[in-house]
C-alpha cells in the first residue's frame, strides 16, 4: 500500500496538458492565467494626491496661503504653485507643478480666498508616479488563479481579453444498487446520492466544466455503458463507490477494459483507502484522460477531491490549487488507536489558531463536515498528541 504523499506525487506527475484560450475580463474570475501580464503604464501614472486638501510648498505652511484654483480628479492642474500660494486638490488628482506637500482639508481653515494650516504634523500626502508599479513590470505570473484581487490588476492594465487555461471537463458518475437520486423516496435499504452532488459542486467550485452521469448500478454492463460515455466526453472522470473489495465492486475490471492503466488502488489514508487512479495515455506517452475512482462514503469523496483531485486539476491547467495548509496546534490532547494510515479528520479551527476534531463517527458521517473548517493530517505511525503539538491542517475554502 502506498502512502498518501506518494499517491499525490503519482497523480501530479500524470497531470494533463494545458491549453489556453481568450475570455473577456467579465468571465475571467476563477480561471487560471495562461500567460504573464505586464504593466502597460506606471502606477500611479502621475504624482497624485492621496487626500482631499491643499497643494503647497512645505516651507510656506507657517503663513497664510493664497488659493489659486481647485483641481478635480481627472483634470490637469492649470497653475504652478508659487511661494505663498496653494491650490485646492481632490483625492486622486494630479499634483500641480511647484507643490511638494498636500495639507489635508481637515487640518486647514479655508476663508474662500486663502488657507491657513492648523494641523500638527506635516506629511507629503503624495503618491509618487511609479511608486507601486513601473511600466513593463510583470504584475501577474502564468498559473495565477484569478480572484477579485487579480481582476482589479487585469482591469488596471487594460487586459480586457484574458488568456487563461481552458477549463477541464469532469464527468461525475456514482455507482451502487442502493443509491437513488435525492428526489426519490428511498426504501429502507436505499441511500440518497450525496456523493454525486457533492463532487459536482466541488468540481464546479474548482472551475471545471461538469457533466453528470447519474448512477450506474452494480453490474459490469451498466458501469461499462456509463463510464464509456463519461470517458468519451471528459478529461477527468470521478467515480464514487464500487472500488472496495465487495462482491459487486466492478470498477477495477471495467477500467482495464477501457485501456486505462491503474497506477494505484490502495492508499494508506483514512478515509479513502481504496482510492484508485487510472490513466489513459496518448501515443506520446503523456496522460490524456484520467479516472479517479473513490470509495463510496461521502466524507472520503470530499477529502479525496480536496486533497488529491483539486491539486491535479489545477496542475493540469498550469497552476496551483488555491488554499492553504498550515501547521496548527491541537487545542487539547488527542490520541487514536490505529496508526497505520495517515488520517484526514474534519476539525474546527478556532480564532486563536488552535484546532479541535469535530464529532466524527466515520466517513459516512456527512454532517460532521458541516461544522468543520479544516482537515487535519494526522501522520502515519503517530497515535498520541499533546495539546499544543502541531500537525498540518488544510484550511477549507
Ligand atoms: P462502496 O465504496 O460502493 O462500497 O460504498 C461504501 C459506502 O458508501 C456504502 O455504505 C454506500 O452505500 C455508500 N455510498 C456509495 N455511493 C454513495 C453515494 N453516491 N452517496 C452516498 N453514499 C454512497
Ligand atoms: Mg457500492
Amino acid at each position: 500500500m502506498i502512502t498518501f504523499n506518494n499517491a499525490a506525487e503519482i497523480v501530479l506527475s500524470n497531470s494533463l496538458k494545458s491549453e489556453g484560450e481568450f475570455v473577456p475580463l467579465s468571465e475571467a474570475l476563477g480561471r487560471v492565467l495562461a500567460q504573464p501580464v505586464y504593466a502597460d503604464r506606471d502606477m500611479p501614472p502621475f504624482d497624485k494626491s492621496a487626500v482631499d486638501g491643499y497643494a503647497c510648498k512645505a516651507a510656506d505652511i507657517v503663513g497664510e496661503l493664497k488659493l489659486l484654483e481647485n483641481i478635480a480628479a481627472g483634470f490637469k492642474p492649470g497653475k504652478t504653485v508659487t511661494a505663498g500660494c496653494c491650490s485646492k486638490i481632490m483625492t486622486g488628482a494630479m499634483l500641480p507643478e511647484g507643490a511638494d506637500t498636500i495639507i489635508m482639508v481637515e487640518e486647514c481653515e479655508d476663508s474662500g480666498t486663502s488657507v491657513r494650516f492648523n494641523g500638527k504634523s506635516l506629511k507629503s500626502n503624495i503618491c509618487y508616479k511609479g511608486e507601486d508599479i513601473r511600466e513593463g513590470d510583470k504584475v501577474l505570473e502564468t498559473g495565477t488563479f484569478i480572484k477579485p484581487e487579480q481582476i482589479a490588476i487585469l482591469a488596471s492594465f487594460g487586459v480586457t481579453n484574458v488568456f487563461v487555461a481552458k477549463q477541464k471537463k469532469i464527468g461525475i458518475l456514482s455507482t451502487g444498487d442502493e443509491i437513488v437520486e435525492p428526489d426519490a423516496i428511498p426504501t429502507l435499504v436505499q441511500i440518497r446520492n450525496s456523493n454525486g452532488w457533492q463532487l459536482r459542486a466541488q468540481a464546479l467550485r474548482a472551475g471545471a466544466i461538469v457533466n453528470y452521469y447519474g448512477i450506474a448500478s452494480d453490474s459490469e454492463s451498466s458501469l461499462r455503458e456509463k463510464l464509456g460515455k463519461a470517458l468519451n466526453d471528459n478529461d477527468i472522470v470521478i467515480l464514487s463507490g464500487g472500488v472496495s473489495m465487495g462482491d459487486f465492486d466492478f470498477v477495477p475490471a471495467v477500467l482495464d477494459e477501457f485501456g486505462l492503466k491503474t497506477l494505484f488502488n490502495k492508499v494508506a489514508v483514512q478515509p479513502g483507502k481504496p482510492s484508485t487512479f487510472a490513466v489513459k495515455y496518448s501515443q506520446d506517452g503523456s496522460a490524456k484522460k484520467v479516472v479517479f475512482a473513490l470509495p463510496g462514503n461521502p466524507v472520503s469523496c470530499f477529502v479525496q477531491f480536496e486533497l488529491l483531485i483539486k491539486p491535479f486539476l489545477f496542475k493540469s491547467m498550469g497552476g496551483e490549487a488555491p488554499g492553504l495548509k498550515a501547521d496548527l496546534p491541537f487545542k487539547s490532547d488527542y490520541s487514536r488507536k490505529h496508526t497505520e494510515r495517515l488520517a484526514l479528520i474534519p476539525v474546527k479551527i478556532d480564532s486563536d489558531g488552535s484546532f479541535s476534531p469535530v464529532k466524527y463517527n466515520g466517513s459516512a458521517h456527512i454532517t460532521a463536515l458541516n461544522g468543520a473548517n479544516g482537515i487535519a493530517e494526522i501522520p502515519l505511525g503517530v497515535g498520541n498528541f499533546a495539546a499544543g503539538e502541531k500537525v498540518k491542517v488544510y484550511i477549507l475554502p
Side-chain angles (χ1 to χ4, degrees):
M1 196 158 47
I2 61 169
T3 64
F4 187 66
N5 280 347
N6 199 198
E9 276 166 22
I10 293 171
V11 164
L12 289 178
S13 67
N14 282 281
S15 60
L16 305 174
K17 282 194 183 137
S18 178
E19 279 176 64
E21 64 180 356
F22 282 99
V23 296
L25 179 59
S26 55
E27 287 165 30
L29 182 69
R31 304 292 295 269
V32 174
L33 206 54
Q35 69 184 16
V37 172
Y38 296 91
D40 71 337
R41 62 194 311 219
D42 286 346
M43 282 302 254
F46 52 85
D47 291 345
K48 184 176 89 168
S49 179
V51 295
D52 294 322
Y54 301 90
C56 60
K57 293 179 186 294
D60 288 352
I61 62 148
V62 285
E64 187 143 290
L65 300 169
K66 188 173 152 245
L67 203 47
L68 296 173
E69 63 170 336
N70 192 344
I71 310 164
F75 294 89
K76 275 194 167 169
K79 293 184 177 160
T80 298
V81 172
T82 48
C85 296
C86 71
S87 290
K88 193 165 192 190
I89 188 165
M90 304 298 122
T91 304
M94 186 186 246
L95 185 75
E97 267 183 49
D100 56 27
T101 298
I102 299 162
I103 49 181
M104 293 170 71
V105 271
E106 295 89 332
E107 297 181 325
C108 291
E109 262 167 61
D110 184 342
S111 73
T113 53
S114 68
V115 174
R116 186 173 279 284
F117 179 64
N118 59 16
K120 287 192 185 68
S121 61
L122 202 60
K123 276 196 348 195
S124 87
N125 291 317
I126 299 166
C127 305
Y128 292 99
K129 177 175 167 22
E131 74 176 13
D132 297 339
I133 299 146
R134 287 274 177 206
E135 181 181 333
D137 281 355
K138 192 194 275 185
V139 288
L140 293 172
E141 298 276 0
T142 299
T144 302
F145 179 59
I146 303 176
K147 300 184 289 181
E149 302 90 305
Q150 285 72 31
I151 294 284
I153 296 169
L154 293 165
S156 291
F157 296 110
V159 186
T160 52
N161 264 315
V162 191
F163 195 62
V164 296
K166 274 192 178 164
Q167 290 168 288
K168 295 295 178 201
K169 290 186 187 152
I170 299 189
I172 308 278
L173 174 59
S174 302
T175 72
D177 284 340
E178 78 281 30
I179 308 300
V180 295
E181 289 296 11
D183 58 357
I185 310 271
T187 65
L188 182 63
V189 291
Q190 291 177 327
I191 299 279
R192 290 199 183 97
N193 181 14
S194 55
N195 286 336
W197 295 91
Q198 176 175 250
L199 286 165
R200 177 178 179 275
Q202 285 178 289
L204 284 174
R205 182 169 69 174
I209 295 170
V210 180
N211 295 307
Y212 182 70
Y213 296 88
I215 303 160
S217 61
D218 284 322
S219 74
E220 286 198 42
S221 62
S222 171
L223 194 61
R224 194 177 289 127
E225 185 224 314
K226 289 205 147 76
L227 180 62
K229 200 161 170 354
L231 268 173
N232 193 50
D233 301 345
N234 297 281
D235 307 300
I236 300 167
V237 177
I238 307 177
L239 286 170
S240 77
V243 282
S244 311
M245 302 300 284
D247 291 350
F248 303 97
D249 293 336
F250 295 117
V251 170
V254 175
L255 290 176
D256 269 7
E257 280 179 29
F258 283 105
L260 287 144
K261 185 162 192 274
T262 296
L263 300 189
F264 59 79
N265 58 13
K266 215 170 262 176
V267 184
V269 64
Q270 178 186 34
K273 181 168 152 193
S275 293
T276 297
F277 177 61
V279 182
K280 182 150 193 142
Y281 290 103
S282 311
Q283 299 256 293
D284 67 6
S286 63
K288 189 172 169 208
K289 300 194 178 220
V290 301
V291 174
F292 292 90
L294 305 177
N297 275 318
V299 179
S300 311
C301 282
F302 180 83
V303 298
Q304 297 301 321
F305 184 93
E306 290 301 314
L307 296 171
L308 201 63
I309 302 180
K310 202 162 74 172
F312 172 86
L313 175 65
F314 276 88
K315 182 152 187 227
S316 298
M317 295 190 291
E320 243 179 68
L324 179 68
K325 270 187 196 175
D327 288 310
L328 298 182
F330 279 96
K331 178 156 234 125
S332 319
D333 294 354
Y334 174 81
S335 60
R336 60 170 179 154
K337 269 194 225 114
H338 302 287
T339 64
E340 59 281 0
R341 288 189 271 162
L342 169 83
L344 300 171
I345 58 166
V347 300
K348 179 91 201 318
I349 306 162
D350 272 356
S351 52
D352 68 2
S354 69
F355 72 88
S356 316
V358 300
K359 181 171 162 14
Y360 176 53
N361 300 335
S363 60
H365 190 181
I366 41 169
T367 52
L369 287 174
N370 183 45
N373 57 8
I375 303 290
E377 300 188 0
I378 314 296
L380 192 148
V382 194
N384 297 304
F385 295 84
E389 267 188 77
K390 290 182 177 177
V391 295
K392 285 247 174 306
V393 179
Y394 172 66
I395 298 166
L396 289 173

